[in-house]
Amino acid sequence: MAARSQYEELARQLSAVGAVKRGLARILPAECPGGSATVLTLLGKYGEMRISRLAELLAVNMSVTSRHVTHAVENGWIERSLDPADKRSRILRLTPAGAEMIDELSRRTTEMFAHNLDDWSDEEVGQLNSLLSRLRDSFSCRVPGGCAPGRHSGDCRAGHADDSYTRTPV
């Protein structure tokens, strides 16, 4: 186990990640704020779904989700259609314009990281990706049925395969 001072430094470093998140927010197109970008990204990743499922993935209430969905619909990025299984519900799906916006968001994000990390080696970027993934897994497996602390096997995510609790748009 690491020393307490190491955990304190980790807390400080993770707090500073806000600068990265602000950088990501600055590169979003003006017409596509973070909430809309996240909605598009989730629909792109998981496919069509009800708004209630989208609200679960976003981990926000239905009124917030509805605002983001309305904005995306008004911009032609997603469409709502009747759910054949339940005519009271709507199914959300990406439009071709929505898929294009996801591509644009991905391009901008990739360019931002490439620019800001241009003095990092491929190995260093890979290490960061691996360690951040491991950190995320260590927190996600602390749910009921997950791994015991210090005994992460990777199997704990079987019932929790989505990583939607990360709100980075792309």
Side-chain angles (χ1 to χ4, degrees), residues 142-164:
R142 299 302 186 256
V143 296
C147 299
R151 303 201 190 289
H152 178 64
S153 66
D155 295 335
C156 61
R157 295 197 68 194
H160 309 281
D162 68 68
D163 57 0
S164 57

Side-chain angles (χ1 to χ4, degrees), residues 86-99:
D86 181 355
K87 300 292 185 202
R88 297 169 297 168
S89 296
R90 301 280 182 165
I91 297 290
L92 306 174
R93 71 179 49 88
L94 279 177
T95 65

Side-chain angles (χ1 to χ4, degrees), residues 2-79:
R4 181 175 177 83
S5 63
Q6 291 285 65
Y7 294 124
E8 290 169 349
E9 179 60 18
L10 176 60
R12 280 190 291 279
Q13 292 299 328
L14 288 175
S15 293
V17 168
V20 176
K21 293 186 75 139
R22 287 187 298 278
L24 284 167
R26 281 192 296 274
I27 63 159
L28 294 175
E31 71 275 13
C32 188
S36 296
T38 305
V39 164
L40 295 176
T41 301
L42 290 172
L43 284 170
K45 181 174 183 176
Y46 297 107
E48 63 184 42
M49 67 184 75
R50 289 182 177 179
I51 194 169
S52 58
R53 174 65 178 142
L54 184 59
E56 286 175 24
L57 291 171
L58 290 168
V60 297
N61 66 41
M62 287 290 286
S63 66
V64 172
T65 304
S66 181
R67 275 196 310 273
H68 295 316
V69 166
T70 298
H71 182 263
V73 168
E74 289 171 352
N75 280 279
W77 300 323
I78 63 175
E79 61 186 10

